[in-house]
Amino acid sequence: MKVTVVSRSGREVIKGGIELHDEATVSDLQEAIHARTKKYYPSRQRLTLPMQAGIQGKPIVLSPKKKLVDYCDGNVKNLTVVFKDLGVQVLYRTLFFWEYLGPLVIYPIFYYFPVYKYFGYEGERVVYPVQTYAMYYWCLHYSKRIMETFFVHRFSHATSPLSNVFRNCAYYWTFGAYIAYYVNHPMYTPVNDLQMKIGFGFGLICQVSNFYCHILLRNLRNPNGNGGYQIPHGFLFNIVTCANYTTEIYQWLGFNIATQTIAGYVFLVVAALIMTNWALAKHRRLKKLFDGKEGRPRYPRRWVILPPFI
Amino acid sequence: MAGFLSTLRRIYLSLYNWTVFVGWFQVLYFAVKALREGGPTTVYGFVERPLQLAQTAAVMEILHGLVGLVRSPISATLPQIGSRLFLTWGILWSFPETRAHILVTSLVISWSITEIIRYSFFGMKEAFGFAPSWLLWLRYSTFLILYPTGITSEVGLICVAVPYIKASEKYCIRMPNKWNFSFDYFSASILALAIYIPGMFICIFFVYPSQAMCRKKLFSLSSDHITNIGRKSTHVPVYAWAAQEGSLQVKDG
């Protein structure tokens, strides 16, 4: 069959189109486009079916594993696809590694080195136990994240745009430094012992739960399947759609209860807002997919992310 | 029901835009009055109230964007409103020593002319469904001058205020305290100054060229009316100070 590849403005991206055998997959097409253009490796290509004039809605994205004939409506000899360049891509693993490495390295710098001299605080620092435990807790958290990135998570998309590296690193590294500055400050005021224990204890329980949630999510995602979506189940997923985000938020709450800094709480709120955004989208997507029709199961009534609020 | 809500929205936005338009018109009127009667050092005294009201009212626009009443990306409106409120309340109101400076005049003139054009433009679109092409022309053209003069005035006034900010310790929170928090207004102001640099960079290299493209596209066509449908998001989001909240397209024919 002949595939015509056009840009969104109608211009032909591959002059003369591409000839492929009838059983070819989208992935084969992507390889062929890469061979013809050199610059556009497959993860940079976004291929969609042309939008019908007058019909609203999102364009249908071609899935790499499917066959091209699945997207042909009748005419098996010709197919037109719309090409979009997603820009330079990096592996999600790479992105996550760099964004988590920052906090892991920056926080101990504030703990171990005489950084506060440069802020005008001369003299020896008295270090409270809570500050030491906070440093261990923080480093444990980000080490865990890096570990999960390489050994646990299964990513639905392999890559992310390069610009996200700068944006995400700015977010994590800046907040990391902001919180580290206050918790390790020479004039830091610790909370009482019981509050510290409750905070770290609760936080650790949530971190372990969070890890377990990630294991469960990993096992949900098997390579064969309907676009990778399944109804999450097991452990807290039976009552919350995004139990992984729930445990993450509560884990930071534990850290903040123990360390009590405005900086830490600001980070908690911002992170919770970002995750809630994601959770709402995921919950909506799952409810739409599992609508109970045509033999599909119905998505059960569940909290979205943060019982008892939402 | 949907038609009723949409009409309500139009009425509300018309009222909002025209009301704030009147506010900024007052600012310009009083500024010119001050210049003629007392000279540049008296401008602030004449414009203070309408300026504070009109500028603070703009906070509503963040709400409008958040609830989806208008199509603006709040990532564009937030920095602009932030810098405006910072200047209006954090510099001019908080540090009277800055009020007699000549930059206050250029600031007030730049802001008021821009806002008069902007709010009347949106007021027209919401109330009457179209905006005259000369108004659109004004929007895209005056920004080329008013943007630099406005930014220069903002940056300049912050610099003028800096020594007073440092000396007064106003708005500063010191440690130790129970919440382990500190805030140094002087450092925050320096940081604000620093943010203007990438802001200006983005404008010179992204906003100006995309505006120029817009102008070429829009004014090479001979339609008298510009109605709003929806703009393709292939353009870089244009900085809200000069442009509008993302809904502009030329009507065919």
Side-chain angles (χ1 to χ4, degrees):
Chain A
M1 61 154 66
K2 172 155 178 277
V3 182
T4 311
V5 184
V6 294
S7 71
R8 282 169 303 159
S9 53
R11 181 185 55 90
E12 253 208 302
V13 176
I14 309 278
K15 293 234 182 345
I18 294 180
E19 273 294 339
L20 290 165
H21 64 90
D22 290 355
E23 293 296 300
T25 60
V26 172
S27 178
D28 294 331
L29 173 61
Q30 287 180 321
E31 292 292 338
I33 294 175
H34 180 32
R36 288 282 291 271
T37 56
K38 268 209 278 254
K39 182 164 130 168
Y40 300 128
Y41 39 89
S43 53
R44 227 175 129 156
Q45 302 171 23
R46 183 171 172 261
L47 302 174
T48 54
L49 290 178
M51 292 286 281
Q52 311 287 7
I55 296 184
Q56 299 274 23
K58 298 181 105 157
I60 301 170
V61 182
L62 270 55
S63 169
K65 294 200 181 76
K66 291 179 94 158
K67 292 210 187 117
L68 289 169
V69 290
D70 294 343
Y71 294 103
C72 296
D73 55 348
N75 190 349
V76 199
K77 283 295 164 197
N78 279 294
L79 178 66
T80 303
V81 298
V82 180
F83 168 92
K84 180 183 171 184
D85 175 24
L86 294 171
V88 179
Q89 299 286 304
V90 299
L91 287 176
Y92 256 110
R93 295 222 154 83
T94 312
L95 171 66
F96 280 16
F97 174 72
W98 286 106
E99 69 190 30
Y100 298 152
L101 188 68
L104 185 60
V105 168
I106 291 171
Y107 192 108
I109 291 177
F110 282 87
Y111 180 84
Y112 284 112
F113 292 101
V115 170
Y116 296 93
K117 243 203 313 247
Y118 301 101
F119 290 99
Y121 296 95
E122 307 289 345
E124 280 301 310
R125 228 173 85 218
V126 172
V127 176
Y128 295 98
V130 65
Q131 292 173 303
T132 309
Y133 301 144
M135 192 266 299
Y136 291 151
Y137 183 99
W138 178 277
C139 292
L140 170 72
H141 180 74
Y142 282 102
S143 309
K144 166 180 158 292
R145 286 223 204 175
I146 292 179
M147 239 266 310
E148 287 170 337
T149 302
F150 288 107
F151 299 111
V152 179
H153 293 318
R154 283 217 184 111
F155 298 101
S156 56
H157 298 283
T159 64
S160 177
L162 176 66
S163 54
N164 281 352
V165 174
F166 302 109
R167 181 193 69 169
N168 292 13
C169 285
Y171 169 76
Y172 277 104
W173 296 20
T174 310
F175 263 121
Y178 189 49
I179 296 171
Y181 172 83
Y182 285 107
V183 183
N184 296 297
H185 202 281
M187 292 182 150
Y188 176 78
T189 310
V191 297
N192 69 60
D193 214 51
L194 178 64
Q195 187 172 332
M196 175 190 80
K197 289 187 173 125
I198 291 175
F200 284 135
F202 177 64
L204 278 170
I205 291 172
C206 291
Q207 283 214 60
V208 172
S209 307
N210 176 261
F211 181 70
Y212 185 51
C213 286
H214 288 153
I215 300 282
L216 283 173
L217 284 174
R218 171 200 168 82
N219 293 331
L220 263 195
R221 210 178 260 285
N222 36 13
N224 50 302
N226 50 342
Y229 286 121
Q230 306 210 25
I231 298 181
H233 57 270
F235 192 43
L236 293 170
F237 286 105
N238 292 329
I239 41 173
V240 187
T241 299
C242 292
N244 48 322
Y245 297 152
T246 315
T247 46
E248 177 70 13
I249 293 171
Y250 281 127
Q251 164 291 120
W252 280 125
L253 179 62
F255 177 82
N256 283 322
I257 289 172
T259 53
Q260 196 153 298
T261 65
I262 296 274
Y265 276 107
V266 169
F267 178 60
L268 172 67
V269 169
V270 174
L273 284 170
I274 293 173
M275 284 188 265
T276 303
N277 233 3
W278 295 341
L280 284 168
K282 177 159 189 195
H283 188 87
R284 232 174 269 138
R285 210 187 310 136
L286 285 169
K287 282 191 82 163
K288 194 166 167 216
L289 182 60
F290 295 104
D291 49 10
K293 302 184 181 132
E294 291 169 15
R296 287 186 291 269
R298 177 103 195 250
Y299 196 78
R301 267 200 78 189
R302 280 180 184 167
W303 295 104
V304 178
I305 179 176
L306 219 53
F309 303 111
I310 181 172
Chain B
M1 182 62 178
F4 169 71
L5 279 178
S6 145
T7 312
L8 206 64
R9 173 191 168 277
R10 264 185 80 179
I11 295 176
Y12 168 73
L13 284 175
S14 305
L15 280 173
Y16 171 78
N17 281 298
W18 285 114
T19 309
V20 186
F21 164 83
V22 167
W24 282 108
F25 191 85
Q26 279 190 314
V27 173
L28 185 62
Y29 175 79
F30 286 126
V32 171
K33 188 162 190 268
L35 286 171
R36 296 170 81 203
E37 289 178 18
T41 56
T42 62
V43 168
Y44 184 81
F46 276 72
V47 304
E48 183 179 40
R49 271 292 161 262
L51 174 69
Q52 289 175 335
L53 280 169
Q55 193 59 83
T56 310
V59 174
M60 293 302 294
E61 281 159 55
I62 299 178
L63 227 76
H64 296 166
L66 272 176
V67 303
L69 208 61
V70 292
R71 218 134 22 135
S72 355
I74 60 161
S75 56
T77 42
L78 262 176
Q80 162 165 330
I81 294 186
S83 73
R84 294 293 191 86
L85 290 175
F86 176 48
L87 260 303
T88 306
W89 293 103
I91 302 287
L92 290 173
W93 179 75
S94 304
F95 296 96
E97 305 93 321
T98 58
R99 295 176 188 177
H101 200 278
I102 187 73
L103 285 174
V104 175
T105 305
S106 55
L107 181 82
V108 165
I109 304 280
S110 306
W111 282 3
S112 56
I113 298 180
T114 307
E115 299 301 72
I116 285 171
I117 296 173
R118 178 163 156 260
Y119 284 105
S120 61
F121 181 80
F122 285 111
M124 287 294 291
K125 277 210 322 208
E126 292 298 343
F128 303 110
F130 78 96
S133 54
W134 56 262
L135 192 52
L136 180 66
W137 182 88
L138 273 178
R139 268 206 90 188
Y140 277 96
S141 312
T142 55
F143 131 97
L144 288 168
I145 302 188
L146 294 176
Y147 183 78
T149 57
I151 295 296
T152 309
S153 310
E154 288 179 35
V155 170
L157 278 171
I158 299 174
C159 291
V160 166
V162 153
Y164 303 109
I165 294 175
K166 187 156 204 218
S168 75
E169 290 267 310
K170 210 169 189 181
Y171 307 133
C172 291
I173 299 174
R174 299 288 176 220
M175 276 171 84
N177 59 69
K178 175 165 114 139
W179 286 100
N180 293 305
F181 181 66
S182 69
F183 181 72
D184 182 40
Y185 197 43
F186 169 71
S187 305
S189 303
I190 301 293
L191 186 65
L193 275 178
I195 293 179
Y196 273 97
I197 300 175
M200 289 190 284
F201 178 83
I202 291 175
C203 281
I204 296 174
F205 289 102
F206 289 97
V207 174
Y208 267 49
S210 98
Q211 288 280 34
M213 245 176 15
C214 262
R215 293 177 72 217
K216 238 177 28 171
K217 215 163 51 150
L218 289 167
F219 300 123
S220 64
L221 297 149
S222 57
S223 55
D224 277 353
H225 305 316
I226 314 287
T227 51
N228 63 326
I229 304 154
R231 175 154 74 167
K232 280 228 140 40
S233 59
T234 47
H235 292 155
V236 170
V238 184
Y239 192 59
W241 192 88
Q244 87 297 26
E245 292 77 351
S247 53
L248 199 60
Q249 211 178 66
V250 179
K251 196 160 82 133
D252 291 318

